[in-house]
Amino acid sequence: MIYFDNAATTRPYPQVLKTYTDVAQRIWGNPSSLHSLGATATKLLDMSRKQIAELLEVKPTEIFFTSGGTESDNWLLKGVAFEKAKYGKHIIVSSIEHPAVKESADWLSKHGFEVDYAPVDRHGFVDVKKLEGLLRDDTILVSVMAVNNEIGSIQPLAEISELLKDRPKVSFHVDAVQAIGKTERANFLPDRVDLASFSSHKFHGVRGVGLAYIKEGKKLESLLTGGGQEGNMRSTTENLAGIASTARALRMTLDNQEAKLKRLSALKEVILTELEKHDDIVIFSGRENFVPNIITFGIKGVRGEVLVHALEEKDIFVSTTSACSSKAGAAASTLIAMNVKPDLATSAVRISLDDENNMVEVEQFLTALTHLRQKFQKIR
């Protein structure tokens, strides 16, 4: 099997699963309990939060645990919107956000907020000048993803940070779910960012654990009320095994990151170079300011899902658009925002690599793709 769908989810590291099972079996006390089992669980929870904070170069009090990236996005957008509603009700999100952000913005628009969508250029980067033109005196929130999940473009967060530096009333949220381990910290958590979302299973952790970064001093409405966990911001018994294993996954992912990125870049370069040789292939992912693990392309006249299933028959697993949207059969929303023609947009297939992939797999994939292109040409 060749697994090239790592932007959808990564395989948990064996060491991460060991941590998960060890904690679940041995440290099963409730962190909120007063007895010694609870104290042991609290100690591990605090250690995990501290380790994650150190790795992300933030404060432990700025890290909150959730059930995933979608929950973090929903909470951070809705929580800050209602907290700041007294200052204004205007929100800006980019036109290429993940549904977790887009749907949250749409929900807010049904509850008294006004939402504008910042356009992108034909390469998939947010147009900062046009975003600036959308800012108003009553703007309270700007949300722009760090790395686009469909084509891998790294968004200009530094430029947007500069744009917002004299607008302290505007909270800046970043969906960084696709960024960890795929680009440098400065590209997903510059200083101006107030809020950020992460998901454990995108960096070899287990599913069901997310992180929300909330800069010290920033206020937002609580997500869940009840027992007062997570500083009264998200009341529910903590998923201690998931959290402890997430800390380990993050440490392992960031270990030797520079070397991993070089290996990924080498794999991507071989694939891009081969794809560029063929006139019937259109490539949507570039080299400069793109992460090294995502390549989105299409064969003209062949729908993306057809190629996905044809590759699957050869035990090669890729995706059409984002995993969350692929079953809908719709064109990649990012490509539509880039003004790609619908017939090309529906041909899109996303390869998302991981450091565990190798050149032999890349060569096998390219051989399979060549055979399939020849087959499709005969059919047409």
Side-chain angles (χ1 to χ4, degrees):
M1 179 184 78
I2 298 175
Y3 184 71
F4 282 173
D5 196 17
N6 291 282
T9 192
T10 51
R11 183 177 68 88
Y13 288 131
Q15 299 92 326
V16 168
L17 293 178
K18 184 176 187 310
T19 295
Y20 184 93
T21 53
D22 284 351
V23 171
Q25 291 174 344
R26 296 168 50 201
I27 307 178
W28 42 267
N30 189 325
S32 296
S33 296
L34 290 176
H35 50 64
S36 60
L37 293 179
T40 301
T42 297
K43 184 178 180 181
L44 181 59
L45 179 65
D46 292 343
M47 287 174 56
S48 301
R49 195 188 311 273
K50 183 173 183 291
Q51 183 180 28
I52 290 169
E54 288 176 351
L55 290 167
L56 293 178
E57 301 178 36
V58 301
K59 299 175 182 176
T61 51
E62 296 175 322
I63 293 295
F64 297 81
F65 297 111
T66 67
S67 68
T70 293
E71 182 182 313
S72 294
D73 283 337
N74 270 258
W75 176 29
L76 296 179
L77 263 72
K78 296 172 184 176
V80 76
F82 281 102
E83 175 65 30
K84 305 187 77 168
K86 55 184 173 290
Y87 302 112
K89 291 193 172 184
H90 181 237
I91 294 167
I92 301 171
V93 303
S94 88
S95 58
I96 58 170
E97 293 298 306
H98 186 278
V101 169
K102 275 188 176 177
E103 294 294 325
S104 295
D106 289 346
W107 185 90
L108 286 167
S109 70
K110 297 173 183 173
H111 291 78
F113 293 87
E114 188 177 350
V115 181
D116 276 319
Y117 294 89
V120 296
D121 63 20
R122 65 187 181 90
H123 301 293
F125 298 101
V126 170
D127 189 320
V128 180
K129 280 291 182 186
K130 290 183 178 176
L131 190 156
E132 182 178 14
L134 295 173
L135 288 168
R136 309 186 326 205
D137 290 341
D138 63 340
T139 303
I140 56 170
L141 172 65
V142 170
S143 181
V144 177
M145 65 194 344
V147 172
N148 179 259
N149 56 311
E150 294 187 340
I151 63 169
S153 51
I154 301 172
Q155 298 305 310
L157 300 188
E159 290 180 58
I160 298 170
S161 294
E162 183 68 17
L163 178 66
L164 299 178
K165 71 175 184 180
D166 295 325
R167 297 175 182 268
K169 192 177 72 175
V170 180
S171 289
F172 186 15
H173 168 256
V174 168
D175 179 341
V177 164
Q178 292 289 348
I180 284 186
K182 308 304 185 298
T183 187
E184 294 80 8
R185 180 190 180 279
N187 287 331
F188 64 84
L189 206 55
D191 291 344
R192 179 59 182 83
V193 172
D194 301 304
L195 312 158
S197 309
F198 304 93
S199 183
S200 180
H201 74 99
K202 303 293 188 180
F203 52 86
H204 297 282
V206 297
R207 279 168 275 195
V209 182
L211 307 173
Y213 163 72
I214 303 174
K215 182 180 285 182
E216 188 174 58
K218 297 297 175 182
K219 296 181 179 178
L220 67 163
E221 291 284 333
S222 299
L223 174 64
L224 300 171
T225 54
Q229 290 91 343
E230 296 299 292
N232 278 322
M233 300 294 275
R234 183 182 184 271
S235 292
T236 192
T237 302
E238 295 88 348
N239 176 4
L240 187 61
I243 291 167
S245 60
T246 291
R248 188 166 192 179
L250 184 58
R251 177 173 57 78
M252 292 180 67
T253 293
L254 298 181
D255 188 34
N256 295 320
Q257 180 176 241
E258 185 175 350
K260 292 174 181 175
L261 291 177
K262 284 183 179 178
R263 287 198 290 272
L264 282 173
S265 295
L267 299 178
K268 178 178 179 179
E269 183 59 32
V270 170
I271 296 173
L272 281 179
T273 300
E274 178 61 29
L275 296 180
E276 287 168 343
K277 295 177 181 175
H278 307 288
D279 294 336
D280 61 334
I281 289 179
V282 58
I283 303 171
F284 304 108
S285 302
R287 291 180 173 81
E288 190 174 355
N289 294 325
F290 281 78
V291 287
N293 67 310
I294 293 179
I295 305 165
T296 298
F297 71 98
I299 300 176
K300 296 176 183 176
V302 178
R303 290 185 64 86
E305 62 264 32
V306 173
L307 181 55
V308 167
H309 291 307
L311 287 168
E312 183 181 10
E313 290 180 0
K314 297 179 179 295
D315 219 17
I316 299 172
F317 295 87
V318 300
S319 180
T320 48
T321 57
S322 70
C324 299
S325 306
S326 58
K327 287 187 177 178
S333 60
T334 298
L335 301 183
I336 297 300
M338 292 161 56
N339 289 320
V340 174
K341 293 180 179 178
D343 60 327
L344 286 182
T346 53
S347 74
V349 170
R350 181 186 68 185
I351 303 168
S352 47
L353 307 168
D354 183 78
D355 182 57
E356 294 187 334
N357 292 128
N358 56 56
M359 199 62 78
V360 172
E361 291 177 319
V362 166
E363 291 169 353
Q364 290 174 347
F365 161 74
L366 291 174
T367 299
L369 184 66
T370 297
H371 291 158
L372 289 172
R373 283 183 50 250
Q374 293 170 347
K375 177 181 175 182
F376 293 140
Q377 286 171 351
K378 290 178 181 177
I379 294 174
R380 287 179 298 186

